[in-house]
Amino acid sequence: MRELIRLHLRQRVRLSEGTWVLILAPLIGLGAGVGVFLFRRAVDGVQDMLRSLTPGGWIRILAPVLGGLLIAGMTRFFLEQEEMPGVSGLILAMVTAGGRLPYWRMPAKAVAAILSLGVGASVGPEDPSVQIGAHLGSGLAQRVWLSEESIRLLTAAGAAGGIAAAFNAPIAGVLFAAEILLGEFATAPITAMVLAAVSATLVTQVLLGPYPAFLVPAYSFRHPLELPFYLLLGVLAAGVAILYIRLLYGMRLAVKRLPLPPWLRTPAGGLVLGLLGLLAPQVLGVGYDSIQTILQGQPHNSILVLEWMFLKLVLTPLSLAVGFVGGVFAPALFLGAMLGYAYGATLGSLFPAWVADPSAYAMVAMAALLAGAIHAPFTATLLLFEMTRDYRIILPLMAAVGLSTLISERLQPGSLYTEALRQRGLRLARGRDVDVLESLRVEEAMNPDVVRATQTLPVQAALEILLQRRRRTLIVETPEGTLWGITTLRDLEMALTAGRGGEPVGQICQRPVITIFPDEPVSEAVRRMSEWNIGQVPVVSREDPQRVIGIVRREEVVRAYDLALTRKRLLQYQLEQIRLRTLSGMEIVELPVEADASAVGRPLSELPWPPECRIAVVRRGVGTLIPNGQLALQAGDHVVLLGKPEAIREARRMLRRANHEAGPFT
């Protein structure tokens, strides 16, 4: 009834959709500014409280452990374990859910982030700040019944306000939302995001003052011969950025394999943080104080600075993998500052007359490493300019940023924010389109009926086999059954015309053979066909790459594309049904199917699901399955549940392993 009343009132107020967006955008920015300010004050309050306790090393160890226990409890009861936390989940929601976010969970997320930062987890405050603004924008847009496009727009505007308030950087906030969330720079989105970012920054400057995030001395670009040094720094920054991304996602997989219940992982990780924090307290928390000392030119030992960098490089992925809540933005700035300072100090000792102060290299490396990590060169460049208000070193900064981004994108296709989506088989274009062939694996599209012949078979006999089977491709194998080569009907006809009908087919076949594995996406098969100008790709076993198990031709790709489009339409229909049903108090959660769970291996029709809970989608590997009664769940699947909260809790028990209930938080 309340939803109908709100819709009726909005219809009575005769304003266009665009006018509503322009009215709400600055309000969302103001709310984001206030929310980020309160968030920062709460983090400071937790840290001040811990400092006021009895001093000693024990508090540095005990605080992250107790904080980890509290966060594990909150995750269990209020948050649910998010498969794509932070900005990655926000991007996914922009693509698949039209920017609709579960805004009612934001207070609990904020509290978890406050605890994480307060007890010293090696994470940043910017992801929670983005979440505060984005959830505020999404929630307000949903409550006044705006269209899906306007919800996406105001969600992005809220994210822009969050970044602007967090760093006192309105331009960087707009670029962050446009470059990372929306993937476009159209006029209407930019206008709304500018209004939100300016409003949020205004709140920050009124409450905290018009000061940049970092106070830096005057840097200078000393000599034209110094530019190659900055370019080399861009290469080094790209290398560290790639390592940072891979450690972030590799650590998550490693932690999941640990023989620990989920509720124990966060406090166990807190214990590791506390012990390492005794050795190097500079690597705990956000690290802005350490960055500030670097940028102000205070002398540091280069070896010690590199040690801090490598510790941060490990502790940030560990903190996020075990369940602490925070961002990856600020740690990237920390890594860049340490790398740049050590690099600049080394150059200064070798070429004292040519190079600038090490702090100048630190600032350039901050932007270069951030750009390489998030694949957003404009955001990184403008953010560093706004955070320092220093324009004098912009030329080497832009050169290093551009080179770092180029190298990182070539060697690491997924960024800090999009790698999780890429691993799920989602490839985004302009912030919203999904390459449907990325969601299908080769094994789903390949034809297992392969025509084979040994390499000693005469060309004429091989041609007769193809004509008899009415096929155009022949796989040539050794007598032992391993792959030797590949040939086509046209190749055999040309050989026969040239008088080579009696020669062994192994002498005229194409070698080496371009192959593909069955668990790779179909889009990769298309890429290889295009790159090598071939019409088919044999599929080989990953366990034995010389054994052919099928073939993918252009015909299979067309059928796979049709199948993927059908799946996408079904998924969109399911999502639309989910959106409609959430208005009546239903919830949506995505949960993993654990090994040894009671639901594993049983058809869905035989599972005692509660009446008020249903499975909307099953994600298996990079594919998406539409559930039916014959589908049997497997360990490692992820199911999207739609239902009443109490019914979802009942269904969750069937997805967990039998001994999961042993923890105190279950």
Side-chain angles (χ1 to χ4, degrees), residues 176 415 460 479:
F176 175 87
S415 70
Q460 183 170 356

Side-chain angles (χ1 to χ4, degrees), residues 176-196:
F176 175 87
E179 196 171 13
I180 294 178
L181 295 184
L182 291 180
E184 59 183 351
F185 293 89
T187 303
I190 291 294
T191 302
M193 291 184 291
V194 166
L195 291 173

Side-chain angles (χ1 to χ4, degrees), residues 562-615:
D562 291 338
L563 174 60
L565 284 178
T566 301
R567 285 188 177 181
K568 184 178 179 181
R569 293 190 191 102
L570 285 172
L571 179 58
Q572 289 173 338
Y573 172 78
Q574 293 279 0
L575 289 172
E576 186 60 34
Q577 295 300 309
I578 287 172
R579 293 170 192 156
L580 293 174
R581 297 190 182 204
T582 51
L583 298 177
S584 59
M586 308 283 276
E587 285 192 1
I588 313 165
V589 297
E590 181 169 341
L591 299 173
V593 180
E594 299 182 357
D596 301 327
S598 61
V600 172
R602 300 169 59 187
L604 294 180
S605 59
E606 298 180 5
L607 296 177
W609 287 104
E612 295 184 323
C613 178
R614 61 171 292 190
I615 298 179

Side-chain angles (χ1 to χ4, degrees), residues 417-462:
Y417 298 136
T418 62
E419 177 63 16
L421 301 169
R422 195 182 71 87
Q423 291 180 1
R424 282 268 298 272
L426 297 175
R427 190 173 69 188
L428 308 183
R430 295 183 62 80
R432 64 182 70 191
D433 298 325
V434 180
D435 185 344
V436 292
L437 292 182
E438 287 280 344
S439 65
L440 276 180
R441 289 173 293 184
V442 168
E443 63 183 352
E444 299 179 83
M446 72 179 188
N447 186 348
D449 185 16
V450 178
V451 182
R452 309 168 191 264
T454 59
Q455 63 190 104
T456 57
L457 186 72
V459 167
Q460 183 170 356

Side-chain angles (χ1 to χ4, degrees), residues 464-542:
E464 292 174 356
I465 291 176
L466 283 184
L467 292 173
Q468 183 180 3
R469 296 283 299 274
R470 297 183 179 180
R471 302 290 290 277
R472 296 197 301 270
T473 305
L474 181 71
I475 299 297
V476 183
E477 298 178 334
T478 65
E480 293 77 23
T482 59
L483 177 62
W484 173 263
I486 187 173
T487 188
T488 64
L489 183 64
R490 177 179 174 81
D491 294 335
L492 295 174
E493 289 175 341
M494 292 177 63
L496 186 63
T497 303
R500 304 176 63 185
E503 292 186 18
V505 70
Q507 293 184 7
I508 65 97
C509 66
Q510 301 172 23
R511 300 185 66 209
V513 183
I514 305 302
T515 61
I516 196 167
F517 293 121
D519 55 358
E520 294 187 78
V522 175
S523 58
E524 179 61 22
V526 174
R527 188 191 66 78
R528 294 182 191 179
M529 289 182 195
S530 175
E531 181 178 350
W532 294 94
N533 194 26
I534 54 180
Q536 61 281 316
V537 180
V539 184
V540 296
S541 169
R542 190 170 284 278

